Amino acid sequence: MKEIYKPLFEPFTLKNGVQLKNRIVMAPMTTFSANPDDTASDAELTYYAARSNGPAMVITACAYIQANGKGFEGQFAADRDTMIPSLRRVASSIKEKGSKAVLQLYHGGRLAVPHLIPNGETVSASSVAPRLDRGFYSIDKTPRSLSDEEVVELIKDFGEATRRAIEAGFDGVELHGATGYILQQFFSPHSNTRTDRWGGSLERLTFPLAVIEETKRVIAECALQPFIIGYRLTPEEPETPGITMNETFALLDTLVEAELDYIHMGITDFWSKPRRGVDSKQSRMELIAEYVGNRVPIIGVGSIHTPDEAVQALEQTGIPLIALGRELIVEPEWVEKVEQGNEKDIKTTVNPNDQALLQVPEPLWELMMNVKGWFPVENV
């Protein structure tokens, strides 16, 4: 490989001692391609296997941990023990190719899809309706506020899903606290207006911290070897009131104190600037990297396509790990091509005739082709 790209291939050791073979992570991306019973499909297994040879770690699409938390068509589940064989197939498809396999766990909360969940009743921290339009579906249903007992049960179910991930052979779990899902809903002043122990000012951190503590308790009890725990967050919200950069710093402090193995940013543009909460010309990633320092490893992400962009992201911010999302769909052999000195052959656009070559499941492929602006599609 070229000398300039060597930083991408230096090994990295997480806080729990797990060693990653390089600095590239596959970001979690929904495939919409599970079987009708919410087990992982053969097409998904092929999709993961095709992308697991190069990256040090592959984070799966989010798996829901309660039946009322399902947020996508064709989403595989982690909410019951009968799903363990399905989860085991996902973990094996990744690990057999040499990557660490991390299962992303989440609950959609108020962003769950009504027709996919029991009785069509969405739940959240508070009864505040979302305004979601992702281009292929929208949600504006007002959720029911969870009772104290239900919040406690939800925390336990994150732990139960972690146990299933361990039994299925995953190397770790990532708690999905980004993109407006339940962990973010409890932290957000927009969606959490509670006045009990799960609400208030920065007491809104109580729920995310309780989920982390329960996850760590289960890992200590069930894992026979070091097991990764990460947390994904979105630094800001567009709503007012909403999460600001200042509140993100408070969340980061809490996550650092929880001794996680990594924190994963949920940003669509790596170099995007903050909306409010700080007066700075630096990007969010630069501010976060500077604030966290070496206290916990950060995974950066967001519209990184070329190895030059990846190296720039590492060197300019000092973060240790870069996640590639859509780029690994477009180019499954991204890491291998850089390592072999064939970076000029890396594709950054999608050819409409290449579905079989890229081994992308049909439901995901249809969205890639039909949702304007989601993927750069070539004219053929």
Side-chain angles (χ1 to χ4, degrees):
M1 78 183 80
K2 288 184 177 178
E3 186 73 22
I4 190 176
Y5 302 136
K6 285 188 176 179
L8 299 174
F9 292 89
E10 294 176 358
F12 183 79
T13 303
L14 296 174
K15 294 176 72 68
N16 66 355
V18 172
Q19 188 174 77
L20 304 180
K21 63 183 180 181
N22 58 48
R23 304 304 181 97
I24 303 299
V25 175
M26 179 172 167
M29 294 172 287
T30 304
T31 66
F32 311 93
S33 303
N35 293 318
D37 63 356
D38 292 352
T39 57
S41 67
D42 290 344
E44 285 181 296
L45 302 180
T46 300
Y47 162 87
Y48 280 117
R51 291 160 175 81
S52 298
N53 187 53
M57 185 164 69
V58 171
I59 306 171
T60 71
C62 52
Y64 64 87
I65 58 97
Q66 283 187 340
N68 63 352
K70 185 176 180 181
F72 301 94
E73 299 274 3
Q75 180 177 33
F76 58 76
D79 68 324
R80 51 200 185 276
D81 283 359
T82 54
M83 290 293 132
I84 293 175
S86 165
L87 297 173
R88 185 175 293 120
R89 295 179 73 209
V90 176
S92 296
S93 71
I94 295 168
K95 295 173 68 172
E96 286 174 358
K97 295 294 184 176
S99 292
K100 300 296 183 184
V102 173
L103 180 66
Q104 190 184 62
L105 301 176
Y106 99 124
H107 186 294
R110 66 180 189 165
L111 299 186
V113 178
H115 74 267
L116 298 178
I117 61 177
N119 303 315
E121 181 183 58
T122 58
V123 297
S124 185
S126 303
S127 296
V128 179
R131 292 291 181 269
L132 176 70
D133 186 353
R134 285 208 169 101
F136 45 90
Y137 74 96
S138 60
I139 297 174
D140 60 3
K141 183 181 178 68
T142 300
R144 176 177 61 80
S145 179
L146 289 163
S147 69
D148 183 85
E149 293 78 10
E150 288 174 317
V151 175
V152 172
E153 188 65 25
L154 180 57
I155 293 165
K156 291 180 180 178
D157 283 343
F158 270 101
E160 281 292 278
T162 300
R163 173 185 59 80
R164 295 180 189 110
I166 293 169
E167 293 183 15
F170 279 93
D171 297 299
V173 293
E174 178 176 281
L175 301 174
H176 195 351
T179 327
Y181 296 125
I182 199 76
L183 287 159
Q184 183 175 330
Q185 288 165 34
F186 269 87
F187 179 54
S188 168
H190 167 71
S191 50
N192 186 349
T193 60
R194 301 175 75 104
T195 57
D196 62 1
R197 59 175 172 158
W198 309 109
S201 182
L202 287 181
E203 290 81 5
R204 298 191 310 274
L205 285 164
T206 303
F207 176 75
L209 184 57
V211 171
I212 292 169
E213 290 175 345
E214 176 66 6
T215 302
K216 292 180 69 175
R217 183 193 69 78
V218 170
I219 291 170
E221 180 179 300
C222 300
L224 301 179
Q225 56 191 11
F227 190 82
I228 300 165
I229 173 173
Y231 191 103
R232 195 173 204 213
L233 65 90
T234 298
E236 292 182 280
E237 291 180 316
E239 296 90 356
T240 301
I243 298 170
T244 66
M245 284 301 298
N246 272 335
E247 289 174 312
T248 295
F249 292 149
L251 173 58
L252 288 168
D253 283 334
T254 297
L255 298 179
V256 168
E257 291 169 7
E259 298 184 335
L260 298 170
D261 294 304
Y262 69 81
I263 299 173
H264 185 185
M265 294 300 114
I267 304 175
T268 56
D269 180 355
F270 188 95
W271 300 108
S272 60
K273 301 295 177 66
R275 293 186 179 91
R276 60 189 187 277
V278 293
D279 183 14
S280 175
K281 294 182 180 180
Q282 291 179 293
S283 68
R284 293 185 181 104
M285 282 304 313
E286 288 172 308
L287 290 167
I288 288 166
E290 185 178 283
Y291 188 82
V292 172
N294 295 321
R295 294 186 293 165
V296 66
I298 297 290
I299 301 177
V301 71
S303 301
I304 293 172
H305 302 285
T306 69
D308 292 290
E309 291 171 345
V311 169
Q312 180 191 7
L314 286 181
E315 294 184 343
Q316 190 163 326
T317 63
I319 64 171
L321 300 165
I322 294 293
L324 301 178
R326 286 172 291 180
E327 179 56 29
L328 279 178
I329 297 180
V330 174
E331 180 53 85
E333 297 180 354
W334 192 97
V335 178
E336 298 94 305
K337 287 184 177 180
V338 178
E339 190 169 24
Q340 295 163 7
N342 298 322
E343 67 279 352
K344 291 183 179 180
D345 296 333
I346 288 175
K347 296 179 180 179
T348 57
T349 58
V350 180
N351 186 310
N353 299 317
D354 283 352
Q355 180 184 2
L357 177 66
L358 299 177
Q359 300 185 74
V360 175
E362 182 64 25
L364 176 56
W365 186 259
E366 288 183 6
L367 286 168
M368 289 168 60
M369 294 298 104
N370 295 323
V371 178
K372 186 177 181 180
W374 201 28
F375 277 80
V377 179
E378 298 174 8
N379 292 319
V380 295

